[in-house]
Amino acid sequence: MADLFSLKKRVVLLTGASRGLGRDMALTLAAAGATVLCAGRTVKELEATARAIGRKGGKAEVTPLDITDEAAVREQVETIIRRHRRIDVLINNAGIIYRQDIVDTPTDTFRSVIETDLVAQFMLAREVGRHMLARQYGRIVNISSVMAILGRASVAGYVAAKHGLVGLTKNLAAEFGPHVTANAIAPGYIRTELNVALQQSKPFNAMLEQRTAAHRWGTPHDLRGPLLLLASDASAYMTGHTLVVDGGLTTILA
Ligand SMILES: NC(=O)c1ccc[n+]([C@@H]2O[C@H](COP(=O)([O-])OP(=O)(O)OC[C@H]3O[C@@H](n4cnc5c(N)ncnc54)[C@H](OP(=O)(O)O)[C@@H]3O)[C@@H](O)[C@H]2O)c1
C-alpha cells in the first residue's frame, strides 16, 4: 500500500521551500522518493533545505525564484523542463501575510498580498500546467488556509487571496482534467515564522486550545499525510477539493 503514496521518479516543484511548512514539505516529498526543486528567494536557506535532504539520501535542487516575477516564473519553468523534461507535481506553498485593519491598509499593501498569495499561484499553475497537460500527468497542490473558510480582523488581503485560491483550485480542476488534478490544503494554525505574533499572545493560545478538538497548535508534521495524499497517485480520483487540516477549528463550535 505504501507504493500508493510513493513519489519515486517524480519531479516536484515546491515554492517556499526555504523555511516553515515548505521546508518540512521538501523533506517529506524527498523521503517519498521525489526529486524536489526547492523554490524561493533566499538562496542560502534553500541550500540548507537541499543539504538536509541530501544528508538523508534524498534528491533536491535549489531553484531561485520570486514567484511574483512573471518573466522569472516563465524562465524557471522552461529551464526545469529543459533539464528534467517534466514537472510531475507543483506545490504552490509560498505565501505572505500582512496584519493591518482595513481602514489603515494602503491599496498597494492589499495588492501585494493578492499578488503573492493568488496571482503567483495562477501564473505557476498556468506555466507548469501547460507541460502537465501535454504529458497527460500532473498533480497541483495549492496551500490555502482556514482563512479560506473564515474571515478574521486585520488580515483582509490574506483572507481574500486564500478564498480566491480555493476558487482557482476548482477552476484548475475543471480545465485540467482528466489526467492533471488540482487540489488544495487548508491548514489551521501551524507554528512557523508566519504567526510568531499569535504564538506569543496568551489570549490567542487560550482561544486555539478551546476552539480546536485537538486542543493544540498544529505542527508541520501534521501536514505530511495530507500532502503525500494529494501529491501522489493515491488521490487520482480527487480534484478541485480543499482538504481542511485544522484540528477541528472550523468544524466545532466551542
Ligand atoms: N503557518 C500557518 O499556520 C499556516 C496556516 C495556513 C496556511 N499557511 C500557508 O502555508 C504557506 C507557508 O506558510 P509558512 O507558515 O511556512 O510561512 P513562512 O514560514 O513565512 O514561509 C513562507 C515561505 O514563502 C516564501 N515566499 C514568500 N514570498 C515569496 C516570493 N515572492 N517568492 C518566492 N517565495 C516566497 C518564503 O521564502 P523567501 O522569503 O525566502 O522567498 C518562505 O519560504 C503559506 O502559503 C501560508 O499562507 C500557513
Side-chain angles (χ1 to χ4, degrees), residues 16 18 21 41-42 65-67 93 144 158 162 188 190 192 195:
S18 52
L21 303 185
R41 295 168 301 183
T42 315
L65 180 65
D66 179 342
I67 58 167
N93 163 69
S144 182
Y158 189 78
K162 294 300 186 181
I190 319 275
T192 68
N195 45 40

Side-chain angles (χ1 to χ4, degrees), residues 40-58:
R41 295 168 301 183
T42 315
V43 170
K44 247 189 167 172
E45 289 184 356
L46 294 172
E47 283 171 351
T49 302
R51 266 199 310 275
I53 289 173
R55 277 197 300 274
K56 290 178 184 270

